Amino acid sequence: MKEHYYPGSRPLEGVELNLFSEDDLRKIHYATMECFKNPGIQVSDAEARQIFKEAGCEVDEKNQVVKIPEFLVNRALMDSPSKFTLWGRDKKNNTVQEHKGKVNWTCFGTGVKMCNYEAPGKYKTVDSVEQDVADTAKLCDWADNIDYYSLAVSARDWAGKGAQDVHETFTPLTNTSKHFHHIDPVGESVEYYRDMVHAYYGGDEEEARKKPIFSMLLCPTSPLELSSNACQVIIKGARFGIPVNVLSMAMSGGSSPVFRAGTLVTHNAEVLAGIVLAQLVVPGTSVWYGSSTTTFDLKRGTAPVGAPELGLISAAVGKLAQFYGLPSFVAGT
């Protein structure tokens, strides 16, 4: 049986790690608003820049920089739901996301290798293929402690053939009865993803919007950029009723300030910029406040997801999400 935890609950009722006071969170918010004024956010997608411009943002087309006023941030936060449901093909596997609710669990991804174990201590590492996507989806479907399936590995046998991400959507949807969270979507293909969900509901667009069995994760490019792909995933996700996870993967000391508070400011700006865009497109779009932000290993040139710094940042991100009234999604070990 899976056991849920309630962050921020009183002692003996849940788990809690408070790194910041309300005043600290407010200071991070104010610093983020300053960041939106100077230097602003680079928005590499022309359609997204036009949406920001029509909403009242200052847009520098030459440098592709958008400066977001605080009133738009506040309005977007008011429009963003604090609770929404991730629907599964089997409704017993529906998962509710709340800004102050249960802690849910999903698998990590997207890996590109699989270990084929031949004997104790003997294994061979090979590229992951579409069958591995199917197998990991079935495994997560079986595991009671996993609430929904995130794309665990990549279908490398489809790499370069123009339809890899579409197969990485169809295969999980047909191999798990739980909700599917696509963490490597391609903006140009979101219409195909939508059509799969519509097909599941017999072409009923309204039902597909009300009960999405699929959601998407996109990453801003640190520091302080919304790439064209990220923007298109956000825009189309909002238009099609697909929940969107705006997840920063900043690296403290690499693509963000070495100090944790500074990293949280740039992280916050990246995530809020994506959430503002989603709410400008369709107010009320279901969004997560996401994080896989960690430190940067200067010695090895890597992003250690298992580092204690990631845990500290994730705890701070969870508090920021609660401060804004948003469901959060954070990386773990």
Side-chain angles (χ1 to χ4, degrees), residues 4 9-10 17 36 55 83 92 94 101 114-115 138 141 147 161-162 165 217 224 227 240 267 270 286 293 295 321 333:
H4 287 294
S9 295
R10 296 186 180 277
L17 176 60
F36 280 149
K83 179 180 178 179
K92 73 177 184 181
N94 290 351
M114 292 289 291
C115 287
K138 291 175 182 176
D141 195 75
D147 294 283
K161 298 179 182 179
D165 64 294
L217 179 154
L224 302 175
S227 69
F240 300 154
H267 172 110
E270 292 167 5
S286 297
T293 292
T295 189
T333 56

Side-chain angles (χ1 to χ4, degrees), residues 197-235:
V197 178
H198 285 188
Y200 171 75
Y201 284 108
D204 190 332
E205 181 179 352
E206 183 179 354
E207 193 75 357
R209 293 183 68 89
K210 286 168 51 180
K211 301 177 181 179
I213 58 173
F214 154 78
S215 55
M216 298 184 293
L217 179 154
L218 70 300
C219 296
T221 304
S222 298
L224 302 175
E225 180 193 0
L226 290 178
S227 69
S228 181
N229 185 72
C231 289
Q232 284 301 307
V233 170
I234 293 170
I235 292 169

